[in-house]
Amino acid sequence: MDMFGGTKEHILPGAKISALGCYVPPGVLTNQDLEKMVDTSNQWILERTGIVERHIAPPEMATSDLAVEAARIALAQRGVDPTELDAIIVCTVTPDMLFPATACLVQNRLGAKGAWGFDLVAACSGFIYGLTTAAHLVMAGTHQKVLVIGSDTMSRIIDYTDRGTCILFGDGAGAMLIERAGPGEGFIGFLNEIDGSGGDYLKQPAGGSRMPATAATVAQRLHFVKQDGQQVFKYAVRKMYEASRDLLEKHGLAAKDVKLLIPHQANRRIITAAAERLGLCSDQVIINIDRFGNTTAGTIPLATRDAIEAGRLTKGDLVIFAAVGAGFTVGVNLWRWEY
Ligand SMILES: CC(C)(COP(=O)(O)OP(=O)(O)OC[C@H]1O[C@@H](n2cnc3c(N)ncnc32)[C@H](O)[C@@H]1OP(=O)(O)O)[C@@H](O)C(=O)NCCC(=O)NCCS
């Protein structure tokens, strides 16, 4: 007997991904363009990262603009009016401003009058943390429709004189609609971790309360991304593998059960090394870093869109999303694809 005197076991509703929309700005920055900006080469970038080109937003476009474009496509795909949304989660490290939250700007532009929302800061794991959060809001029974948006305008915080970082990042956004589903449909489980001891390896040092903007912080280029690439690389390979392995094991699943690994796109070598350790073959892994670079919170939806368009992800497939990012943050989700 439960606390309400009932005898029936409480069955939680499920949460499914029911629509997807993506947007990248039209401008493209190629490896050849970068050769003219820093001491690098197309060959080095291709071999070390797998990136060919990335999209860059025009000066008048900010993160909320990319987010609204992606959100409108997702909502139109499902025929959902913005007023039906219960919550909007914007995952980003490049908000239009520190406050108001970009979620508020997006909510206003969409006319999502019934939604609350917030920004979620988890860098490259942001979209997966957003999916995890949205799934639980829906499964709690308190929300019917939650929109998760990953949107980043990385070009605004990248130092285009630093060849170690400027070759990696691009701008882009993607949105997924999470809706109530039948028990057992859609969301299966998650394994998310943070490890703040790695915080110094990838950060934007200035602009917060620790180091507010001054003429000196600007002169020292402290408002740009600073990274120890090798440390991040090693951690990313290990954790993307370990967390994915552990989540599959927890659910009694093996690599052969997975239709697709949709990984965060930070470096082709990180993805292939993690996938090999997991025992996945190449047709079980989506890689589209060549066309977009690392769009931070945008990579997972952008890669999912490519998987769908290529006919590699269809209803009933088991999909694992995996990411590692600044923080450090680690995020892995298992979903049954439902449309
Ligand atoms: C950044 C990254 C591509 C660098 O690749 P790497 O193989 O680790 O290269 P290293 O940092 O060891 O540098 C090797 C050499 O290449 C040089 N180099 C770095 N960037 C270069 C570039 N764009 N073009 C040419 N040479 C470059 C370095 O200066 C170094 O030269 P040195 O040996 O004379 O000192 C790689 O470390 C990486 O992808 N890290 C993870 C990044 C990431 O995932 N970030 C986001 C987290 S979500």
Side-chain angles (χ1 to χ4, degrees):
M1 191 171 285
D2 66 21
M3 64 188 286
F4 302 110
T7 50
K8 274 191 195 153
E9 199 181 318
H10 181 61
I11 298 173
L12 288 176
K16 66 179 178 185
I17 298 165
S18 62
L20 167 70
C22 291
Y23 179 79
V24 289
V28 167
L29 181 70
T30 65
N31 291 350
Q32 285 74 18
D33 295 330
L34 284 161
E35 282 176 348
K36 295 176 200 136
M37 297 160 68
V38 288
D39 180 15
T40 190
S41 68
N42 176 44
Q43 192 190 352
W44 192 96
I45 300 171
L46 259 180
E47 282 176 9
R48 306 307 292 167
T49 72
I51 302 169
V52 175
E53 60 185 31
R54 27 353 246 131
H55 289 253
I56 302 292
E60 68 277 10
M61 257 192 147
T63 292
S64 69
D65 302 309
L66 307 182
V68 166
E69 296 289 340
R72 285 191 176 134
I73 294 167
L75 294 175
Q77 186 187 88
R78 181 75 173 144
V80 166
D81 192 86
T83 55
E84 295 175 53
L85 292 176
D86 298 309
I88 299 170
I89 303 172
V90 176
C91 315
T92 187
V93 290
T94 51
D96 288 26
M97 297 163 266
L98 274 179
F99 68 89
T102 302
C104 300
L105 308 177
V106 171
Q107 177 270 341
N108 185 44
R109 287 269 303 285
L110 291 177
K113 294 192 186 330
W116 70 290
F118 55 91
D119 288 2
L120 191 160
V121 185
C124 297
S125 308
F127 196 81
I128 292 178
Y129 287 13
L131 285 181
T132 310
T133 307
H136 286 85
L137 291 176
V138 168
M139 290 184 331
T142 51
H143 294 67
Q144 292 271 359
K145 291 182 173 59
V146 179
L147 191 64
V148 180
I149 307 172
S151 184
D152 270 303
T153 319
M154 294 304 291
S155 60
R156 300 292 149 72
I157 59 167
I158 291 298
D159 182 350
Y160 285 96
T161 67
D162 174 9
R163 68 177 181 172
T165 51
C166 73
I167 57 156
L168 296 172
F169 293 94
D171 301 336
M176 289 187 191
L177 182 63
I178 314 304
E179 284 192 74
R180 176 100 41 107
E185 287 179 351
F187 184 71
I188 297 169
F190 74 103
L191 197 164
N192 298 345
E193 287 174 16
I194 58 172
D195 177 1
S197 69
D200 274 341
Y201 296 129
L202 181 52
K203 63 181 178 184
Q204 182 187 6
S209 58
R210 177 71 60 195
M211 205 186 286
T214 62
T217 62
V218 172
Q220 291 163 31
R221 310 183 82 76
L222 295 175
H223 296 270
F224 292 123
V225 171
K226 306 288 178 197
Q227 173 172 253
D228 181 333
Q230 282 191 17
Q231 292 290 345
V232 177
F233 189 98
K234 282 187 275 184
Y235 187 83
V237 171
R238 180 167 67 82
K239 293 306 289 192
M240 196 178 273
Y241 159 63
E242 288 178 359
S244 301
R245 176 201 64 192
D246 292 351
L247 182 59
L248 286 169
E249 270 176 24
K250 184 174 156 191
H251 291 275
L253 295 161
K256 66 172 174 34
D257 302 314
V258 174
K259 179 69 188 300
L260 267 189
L261 165 67
I262 302 186
H264 170 57
Q265 310 281 316
N267 186 315
R268 174 186 279 274
R269 291 183 296 136
I270 293 176
I271 298 170
T272 53
E276 271 168 28
R277 285 193 202 180
L278 279 166
L280 297 171
C281 57
S282 59
D283 60 7
Q284 286 174 292
V285 185
I286 288 288
I287 301 182
N288 69 352
I289 192 171
D290 48 323
R291 287 158 44 226
F292 301 112
N294 181 352
T295 54
T296 303
T299 63
I300 298 273
L302 281 165
T304 306
R305 180 184 68 174
D306 278 7
I308 293 168
E309 287 180 355
R312 294 175 64 185
L313 182 61
T314 51
K315 189 168 164 48
D317 287 342
L318 183 70
V319 57
I320 183 161
F321 299 110
V324 175
F328 288 125
T329 55
V330 180
V332 182
N333 269 200
L334 263 174
W335 291 74
R336 186 73 60 188
W337 197 254
E338 299 289 351
Y339 77 89

